Structure formats: structure tokens, C-alpha cells
Amino acid sequence: MKVVGASASYLYLVPMDGRYWFELFTRRGSRRDFLRVGASAVGLVALGGQTGCATGRRVRVVSNPFTLGVASGDPTPDGIVLWSRLSSTALREIGAHVEPVEVRWELAEDDAFSRIVRAGDAAALPELGHSVHVEIDGLRPGREYFYRFFSGGEASPMGRAKTAPRLDARPDRFDFAFVSCQHYEHGYYTALRHLASESLDVVVHLGDYIYEGAALDGDVRRHEGREPIDLEGYRRRYTTYRSDGDLQRAHAAAPWLVTFDDHEVDNNWAGDVPEDGQPTQEFLLRRAAAFQAYYEFMPLRASSMPSGPGMQIYRRLRFGDLLEMNLLDTRQYRSDQPCDAVVGPTCAEHMADGQTILGAPQRTWLEDGFAASTARWNVLAQQVLMARFRNVDGDGRETWSMDKWDGYPRERTSLLAAMADSGVSNPVVLTGDIHSSWVTRLLRDFDDERSQVVGTEFVGTSLTSGRNGRPMTPWGEAALRNNPHVDFYDARRGYVHCSATPGRWTSRYRVVPYVDRAGAPVETIATYVVDDGRPGAERV
Ligand code: FE
Ligand code: CA
């Protein structure tokens, strides 16, 4: 069974080898259900068009179904994906939660929708949680658009999208923000509210969009239920997060480029190895459920639609000749963290052949990209700290964080060598995960602090994870003391605003003083620049 999108390619792929998995997640029905879905998809292919036919039941709702907001993502010079999702509560009220529901979408050149350039109908399918992913092409490059959805007689909020510049364009600047780690229970998304008022080309999310742990009492606010292990559990968790107004504002403000880290599935998972040691098959079922929910809630293209426990999330986007963005996946293909420790001394496994954080195909794809790129700034948007972080424990032993690139030092060394030898222009690594802000110089040889600076790493702090932040921590002091290539550390909450111009990259660390209540102001606590051709950031 293979179904692919037609011209209005909001469709889903069901690859041949994905049949088993697709059936698995429609198993409350039966194989007949699968065939019915397949048949309706074929029907969509046959009937589908940009402005065409009804593709689901037209319903009337009693409450607005757009409680999860809207989003756009993955812009190209002529296209964008638009996202929304109908509230299962609103559909349940009218008994429509088990069938395809029609959703109308509109894309306009102005926010009053007086110049609508595209419109059409999409089917929100129960198999995909009544999400819609509308892929539009044929748009004008480097242009702002506005979009909204209608269903059941109700309208969604409006979103702002923007296409990428032409591939041969020479933009004079590109502005974006990157974020990570938004534990719902740890605080309010005030930083995202501030981010939403910046004028951005894109927002990059580096993972930990949800946290999978069970709800805890006594925190700032509460996410629901037990630790999710199945599709329903993950859907509930995303619904809680996605109901936040500030998160919705940030999604509506600009297209997002998303990639996941560990907490979208399970803390510190690695490849097919879970945190808590359940059998591999059981974990892969869980991973498939987590990936499906992630896809359902994110503005991703059909090319990232999961097939069972696999999901193509690493990808490359280009913004004229100015910037190329490589979004990486450092979870799905990695070897298990070595040495049976989260933080610990080295062991034989640590330096063994074949230990990998990227996996061979992604590594080849990335290095081929270095060789082929003609962009001025080449960004690796990824999850875990790439620079070496040498720490010394109470017994005077060197210790390493095995979940970060420090757990895979041979691959780091060879990747940084490949980066340097390829001559790729201005590599910049963006990192999340560690709930603190860092600036590092990526060295060809971390044993020699005077060795070649290959690239610059900007680590963004968490939006909320870790609760209220503070400027310095014992960990930060150790990072600065033991690692001369680390230039900056701060552990307040916030995001990083980046501006790339042909001559200079600027990163502004934007933080809020508290997250345990709403309404915090935002301030820039540090600004670092990288000049074209000179890796390593300078504070200005
Ligand atoms: Fe995190
Ligand atoms: Ca993480």
C-alpha cells in the first residue's frame, strides 16, 4: 500500500513497509479500517486539488475546535506547510471524533484577508488526531503571508507565515530565534510571549517540546496524568502543552523549524534503548506512538511523517546564499550512552570504534552538505552540547556527560576535522538540552586549547525547564574553570535571538528573571558576534 499526496499535498504517506505499523495504530478498528483509510486516501488523491472538493464530513460544532492554535513550518522559496488540529473535545460534543472532518484553509497576502491567494479544503483524519498539514507551493519567495482555518462554522486564530528567499537571492539579513526545553510544570512561557513580538523569519525548536514524566504535585502548574507510553497518552500530553496561549502566539508569529530531543519520547533514550530497560519491541512501539503524536502536533511536511518507529527529522533548509540550516537528529540513530553512567569517567566503550551519535547515513549526508554548500553561514541546529565539557569530581577524576557529544568524542573529533577540511563557510552550531546559555569555541583538538577554532557554538537556555533560573551555578563555574574554550555561561531562562548578515552573525541572549508567575519582562544579558571568516564569538 503506497499513498502519496496529490497537488494539495496535505496527504500522508503509507509506505509499503509501514503497513504493519499503520495497522497497529488503527487497531481499535480492524484491518478493514486500514483499508478504509487507504481507500479514502486514494479518493483524496483522485479528487484532491488546491481549491477543491470536500474531503471530510462538513460539521457544525457547538464550541470552537481551534483551541490548539495554528502553526506554519519548513518554508521553501515557493512553499510552506500550514498546520492546525481540531480539538477532540469539540468533535466529541457532536459525535464527529471518529470520522474525517472537513477543514477549510485560506492564505492571504494581507492580514485582513482582502487578497487571498490560495484556499482549499483538507480532511482532518481521526487516524492523525484530526490534525491537518497543508503543504502549499507556487508562492512568491521571501514574502510574508497570513493564514487561517475554518471548520464547523468556526474560525481559527490567524497565523503569519513567510517563504524563504530565492535560492539565488542575496539577502542582506536573516533573523530568527532558537528555543528548547519547555517543561510545562516548571513555569510560564513568558519568554515565548516576548519572542512572538519580535520580527522573525523563523523560529527553531531544538527539542524537549514536552516532558514525558508523570505529573507532580507542588509545581508552578501541572501537566496531566502518568508517563505516556501510547498514542493516547502522548496526545493528551501535547494537548496540555499546546493549549498554552503564549506557545500558540509564538507558533502563529513565524514559521517554526522543529526537531526533537529525548523528552518527546523518554528521558535520555538512545536509538532503540530506553531509559528504564523495557524490551526493545516494547520500546519501539512506544517510540512509534511518540513520533506519531509529535508529527500530529508539529508543522511538519509529509516527508517527516513517521513510518512506525522511524521518522525522518534531519533535513536541510536554505535561505538564499546567506544561510543554510541543517536540522539534526542526535537521538534516533545514536549508540547507547557509554560506560553505564550519565556522568562518569571514561571507559573502553567510550572510545570504541563505531560509537556514534549521528549514525552513518546522517553523518554522510551532513558532510556531503558541507562540501556542496555555497551559503555564507552554515548552521547545525541540534540538541546536545558539542564542545568538550571537562569536569573533575571530588576524587580528582575527569568526568564526562555521556548523553552529550562528550559521550561520543571520536565522532566529534572526526566531524570537526571534516568540517574544517571541507572549507565550509562559517559553521555555527546551535544547541539546547542543558537549560543554560553558553558560548563555546569548537576546537579541532580539545586536548590543545591553542588548536584551530573550527566553528562557533551557541547554546540556548531552557524556556522554563529547571524552574526560575539564576546567573551562575556550581556547574557553570566548573564549566568556565576547566574549559578555556567556554566563553560564556548563564542559567536564567529565555531564548536566543540571532541575526545573520553577510559580514556578521549576532546572537543576543534574551532572558526573563522568573517563570513561576506570568508577566516577567525580558532583557538582553549578553550579545556575541562572529565576523565572517573568523570562527569564535566576541562579546560586544
Ligand atoms: Fe530539557
Ligand atoms: Ca534533553
Side-chain angles (χ1 to χ4, degrees), residues 244-467:
D244 182 276
D246 291 335
L247 178 59
Q248 290 186 14
R249 269 188 198 90
H251 271 291
W256 282 40
L257 318 179
V258 300
T259 181
F260 52 71
D261 190 25
D262 56 335
H263 290 289
E264 284 85 350
V265 180
D266 185 25
N267 181 44
N268 284 0
W269 66 282
D272 60 7
V273 182
E275 181 182 29
D276 300 322
Q278 70 256 52
T280 303
Q281 290 305 318
E282 206 175 299
F283 178 65
L284 289 178
L285 287 172
R286 180 181 184 184
R287 204 173 96 179
F291 283 180
Q292 177 165 345
Y294 185 72
Y295 172 78
E296 286 180 4
F297 280 88
M298 294 296 143
L300 285 167
R301 291 178 180 273
S303 51
S304 289
M305 185 175 178
S307 175
M311 181 169 188
Q312 177 75 41
I313 200 74
Y314 70 80
R315 62 200 189 283
R316 181 174 294 132
L317 292 99
R318 190 165 155 194
F319 300 91
D321 72 349
L322 186 57
L323 187 144
E324 195 160 274
M325 182 85 70
N326 298 279
L327 288 138
L328 304 190
D329 176 347
T330 59
R331 285 287 158 196
Q332 195 176 175
Y333 314 108
R334 70 156 82 185
S335 317
D336 196 14
Q337 294 90 348
C339 314
D340 291 321
V342 177
V343 178
T346 189
C347 68
E349 191 189 3
H350 194 199
M351 302 305 283
D353 275 342
Q355 277 290 110
T356 179
I357 188 168
L358 294 175
Q362 180 175 209
R363 168 83 181 278
T364 302
W365 166 86
L366 185 57
E367 292 185 6
D368 289 350
F370 294 156
S373 174
T374 54
R376 183 72 56 104
W377 301 97
N378 287 275
V379 178
L380 278 60
Q382 55 97 52
Q383 293 78 15
V384 292
L385 183 69
M386 185 175 280
R388 183 158 93 169
F389 173 24
R390 175 178 165 271
N391 204 356
V392 180
D393 72 10
D395 301 326
R397 293 179 310 179
E398 281 186 337
T399 60
W400 310 100
S401 288
M402 300 302 183
D403 190 56
K404 315 198 190 320
W405 282 81
D406 271 330
Y408 309 84
R410 285 181 61 179
E411 186 164 51
R412 173 175 59 200
T413 300
S414 64
L415 180 72
L416 290 174
M419 202 184 262
D421 296 341
S422 71
V424 66
S425 172
N426 296 314
V428 175
V429 174
L430 308 179
T431 301
D433 178 58
I434 45 174
H435 310 171
S436 44
S437 302
W438 306 46
V439 176
T440 85
R441 278 166 285 131
L442 298 169
L443 304 181
R444 187 187 267 268
D445 177 4
F446 280 105
D447 284 325
D448 175 6
E449 285 288 342
R450 288 160 309 168
S451 84
Q452 180 188 1
V453 180
V454 171
T456 315
E457 181 178 29
F458 295 109
V459 183
T461 185
S462 63
L463 286 161
T464 55
S465 305
R467 308 178 180 84

Side-chain angles (χ1 to χ4, degrees), residues 1-12 37-50 52-55:
M1 181 71 204
K2 186 175 175 66
V3 180
V4 290
S7 55
S9 47
Y10 42 75
L11 283 186
Y12 27 86
V37 172
S40 72
V42 169
L44 288 176
V45 171
L47 296 169
Q50 291 284 14
C53 56
T55 48

Side-chain angles (χ1 to χ4, degrees), residues 135-165:
E135 289 185 42
I136 301 175
D137 56 18
L139 302 177
R140 286 157 57 186
R143 199 189 192 295
E144 197 169 66
Y145 289 94
F146 299 88
Y147 61 95
R148 61 188 176 186
F149 299 88
F150 298 91
S151 190
E154 297 281 346
S156 76
M158 178 182 71
R160 169 188 170 270
K162 193 173 179 188
T163 49

Side-chain angles (χ1 to χ4, degrees), residues 86-99:
L86 304 177
S87 146
S88 57
T89 310
L91 295 183
R92 204 172 290 274
E93 284 169 354
I94 56 165
H97 56 290
V98 290
E99 56 188 305

